[in-house]
Amino acid sequence: MRIGVLALQGGFAEHIRMLRSLQADTFEIRRREDALGRMDGLVLPGGESTAIGKLLKDLGLFGPLKERIRGGLPTFGTCAGMILLARRISGTDTAYFGAIDIEVKRNAFGRQLGSFFTEAPFKGIGTVPMTFIRAPYIERAAPEVEILSLADGHPVAARQRHVLATACHPELTADSRIHRYFIEQLCAAGAGRRDCLTL
Amino acid sequence: MQTEQTKQQYELNKNLAQMLKGGVIMDVSSPEQARIAEDAGAAAVMALERIPADIRAAGGVSRMSDPQMIRGIQEAVSIPVMAKVRIGHFVEAQILEAIEIDYIDESEVLSPADDRLHIDKSRFRVPFVCGAKNLGEALRRIAEGASMIRTKGEPGTGDVIQAVRHMRAMTSEIRRIQGLQEDELHYAAKELQVPYELLRGVHGSGRLPVVNFAAGGVATPADAALMMQLGAEGVFVGSGIFKSGNPARRAQAIVKAVTNFADPAVLAEISADLGEAMVGINESEIRLLMAERGV
């Protein structure tokens, strides 16, 4: 199992540590060549979505990654990663990969004083610890999108075929079950490939 | 006394700093500059009325910025907004907490308000970043409740020598602590004037318990990459951007340099044709050493 972690800005080291604890082989994606390498899954970390989005485009990574995600590469985005994966971002005309049919709101719980920790049920896993840092939430989702978790009454985790997105940061907790879910249910199961065949 | 809730808030505050890693935090003094910084890929902005080079030139007492000016910047961008308070001025910090600032910089760039005490940062919900010249200062600030550390460097000079000195001092002291025996740690804690528990953590992990950025005198993409190669986890750029010939272009180049800090081919490309860098003042030419404030 080989998983690429986008390493342009933000909390990528924490994802790498957690994926390695699950015996996954990981590598950092910083340059165009890295984006073309063999991988069974892709992780888009938390950080600042405007900064990561800008670097993706300037460094020539955006096109190749978008094509691969469209082509069925299992992808997991947390916080800023969720914003990069969303079809729409409230209040702007900008969107990035548009790989999951949701509309997200940036800093939806407010500024840093609105950041919080909670525990909530996550479909298929059980109750998990959740850390929200200036987090977004999902305002609208298409019927094909499966909502996996709610926090404070708002959808904060969702899956559409081979794409998984959470507004919280499982990589900042000691609980690796969401990463395990990504590896087992999306990467190992070849979620994208199978769906591509049935489409 | 730390309650469960304040402990949790401190974790969340350290977590926000983790999300800024690999990023550039830029000084801005207007909503327009804040937008330029955000468009260039800044991970956060520091709102202040006068950037350090101008504070240095103007002289006089330098204080927290006008909250209305900070609010204007908060409304202009979606990235975190930081602002500075004077060392020890806990009321300026209360005011910034009231306007929901994302991070407070208790900064030696402003005139200190207390010549002995720093702010008791553990009494606030809002996070603090503090400057440090060495491991002792860093751990004392963390003991007071800072959830992020930066080198002091020498702000407003465009001369990177002090930031280099401070980062090297910190990393070499950390290496020395790692090599000590358990029983030697008590004496080292006394020497450094830091809590034993924090030093024991450094001994075990080989790093500070919070994110550590470089700041003070960074003016070029090469300066930023130098600090990253020396172990910084991200970079603050103050006067270096908006005192240069082409701020937008220089800002973008510094952002890319921090991401690709170990890739000389990329650094060569982005360092080309940036227009004039800030003129700068050499360390030996300045009268006021801001880094000596607040130890």
Side-chain angles (χ1 to χ4, degrees):
Chain A
M1 183 64 57
R2 188 169 148 81
I3 298 187
V5 179
L6 189 68
L8 301 180
Q9 192 272 319
F12 51 86
E14 291 79 357
H15 274 290
I16 290 172
R17 205 173 306 133
M18 190 156 266
L19 290 163
R20 288 197 175 146
S21 78
L22 296 170
Q23 319 308 324
D25 191 9
T26 61
F27 67 101
E28 293 184 357
I29 301 176
R30 287 174 190 268
R31 295 179 308 175
R32 196 181 166 86
E33 301 87 274
D34 305 326
L36 304 171
R38 185 182 79 74
M39 59 182 127
D40 304 303
L42 167 67
V43 170
L44 307 179
E48 286 306 318
S49 57
T50 50
I52 300 174
K54 163 94 179 142
L55 285 162
L56 273 169
K57 288 180 178 166
D58 285 359
L59 298 169
L61 292 161
F62 184 74
L65 286 178
K66 183 166 186 171
E67 203 170 300
R68 295 189 71 169
I69 300 170
R70 282 260 165 99
L73 176 68
T75 303
F76 176 22
T78 60
C79 196
M82 172 191 255
I83 294 172
L84 294 173
L85 286 170
R87 174 69 55 87
R88 270 176 295 275
I89 304 167
S90 308
T92 75
D93 300 325
T94 323
Y96 298 91
F97 294 119
I100 178 165
D101 203 347
I102 54 176
E103 177 168 342
V104 295
K105 185 178 178 192
R106 274 196 177 109
N107 305 335
F109 296 99
R111 301 180 187 282
Q112 174 61 7
L113 289 175
S115 293
F116 64 104
F117 174 85
T118 188
E119 291 186 339
F122 194 103
K123 206 169 179 179
I125 297 181
T127 298
V128 295
M130 293 183 172
T131 298
F132 294 91
I133 306 293
R134 288 171 42 92
Y137 62 61
I138 300 169
E139 284 198 313
R140 265 177 285 282
E144 308 83 83
V145 175
E146 187 181 10
I147 298 298
L148 300 171
S149 189
L150 300 175
D152 206 21
H154 301 286
V156 291
R159 176 181 175 179
Q160 185 175 11
R161 296 196 303 251
H162 62 287
V163 178
L164 174 67
T166 66
C168 60
H169 293 278
E171 77 282 8
L172 294 178
T173 71
D175 191 315
S176 60
R177 283 177 296 163
I178 297 177
H179 283 78
R180 184 183 296 280
Y181 172 92
F182 173 61
I183 291 173
E184 289 176 357
Q185 304 293 316
L186 282 80
C187 303
R193 287 192 296 279
R194 193 180 55 212
D195 285 330
C196 287
L197 287 178
T198 55
L199 276 175
Chain B
M1 266 307 285
Q2 276 208 326
T3 65
E4 200 50 44
Q5 212 180 355
T6 60
K7 245 190 258 174
Q8 207 168 75
Q9 186 66 42
Y10 185 60
E11 282 307 310
L12 293 169
N13 290 343
K14 286 202 291 184
N15 288 157
L16 174 57
Q18 283 174 276
M19 291 307 134
L20 299 172
K21 282 189 302 180
V24 181
I25 299 168
M26 302 182 191
D27 279 2
V28 296
S29 32
S30 67
E32 294 68 44
Q33 289 187 352
R35 267 182 236 114
I36 292 173
E38 181 172 57
D39 289 345
V45 290
M46 177 76 70
L48 73 174
E49 276 156 0
R50 282 188 301 193
I51 55 177
D54 293 336
I55 291 175
R56 194 174 276 291
V61 176
S62 179
R63 313 177 178 90
M64 176 188 79
S65 298
D66 183 337
Q68 190 184 324
M69 171 265 172
I70 298 170
R71 278 214 188 92
I73 289 172
Q74 286 176 313
E75 280 157 23
V77 295
S78 72
I79 54 179
V81 177
M82 304 183 167
K84 291 182 192 293
V85 300
R86 286 180 266 175
I87 290 173
H89 205 314
F90 52 86
V91 174
E92 285 186 348
Q94 290 165 1
I95 291 170
L96 291 186
E97 185 170 67
I99 63 166
E100 297 206 28
I101 202 77
D102 291 302
Y103 241 99
I104 293 176
D105 184 2
E106 186 182 16
S107 178
E108 66 283 1
V109 169
L110 305 184
S111 306
D114 191 317
D115 57 359
R116 293 187 307 142
L117 273 64
H118 280 70
I119 296 171
D120 179 0
K121 293 165 275 288
S122 63
R123 298 165 75 101
F124 288 80
R125 289 181 61 229
V126 75
F128 282 82
V129 55
C130 287
K133 299 195 295 289
N134 52 45
L135 182 61
E137 287 187 16
L139 294 180
R140 284 196 290 280
R141 299 296 86 77
I142 292 166
E144 294 157 2
S147 45
M148 180 177 183
I149 292 292
R150 55 171 176 75
T151 61
K152 286 178 169 172
E154 194 50 36
T157 61
D159 187 358
V160 81
I161 184 170
Q162 302 228 30
V164 168
R165 191 180 292 149
H166 302 161
M167 189 56 75
R168 281 198 185 276
M170 229 176 286
T171 49
S172 84
E173 282 173 323
I174 288 174
R175 277 195 303 274
R176 181 178 79 85
I177 296 302
Q178 276 185 286
L180 296 181
Q181 295 188 150
E182 291 267 338
D183 57 354
E184 292 171 316
L185 283 177
H186 290 280
Y187 183 71
K190 190 173 88 175
E191 270 185 323
L192 289 171
Q193 302 175 42
V194 299
Y196 168 74
E197 283 307 323
L198 282 177
L199 198 66
R200 205 180 131 86
V202 172
H203 174 68
S205 67
R207 42 165 299 135
L208 293 180
V210 303
V211 166
N212 186 16
F213 269 46
V218 174
T220 67
D223 289 346
L226 173 68
M227 296 313 302
M228 293 296 287
Q229 290 199 27
L230 288 174
E233 296 181 278
V235 174
F236 284 83
V237 187
S239 319
I241 290 173
F242 289 100
K243 279 281 161 193
S244 74
N246 189 339
R249 207 173 154 86
R250 184 162 294 265
Q252 289 180 36
I254 292 177
V255 168
K256 279 189 240 173
V258 168
T259 295
N260 295 290
F261 67 90
D263 191 331
V266 176
L267 294 174
E269 196 184 311
I270 60 185
S271 298
D273 196 23
L274 290 181
E276 207 149 324
M278 76 177 278
V279 175
I281 329 167
N282 288 304
E283 178 192 38
S284 54
E285 297 166 356
I286 53 179
R287 281 176 298 122
L288 173 67
L289 269 181
M290 292 174 172
E292 293 308 321
R293 292 167 164 175
V295 297

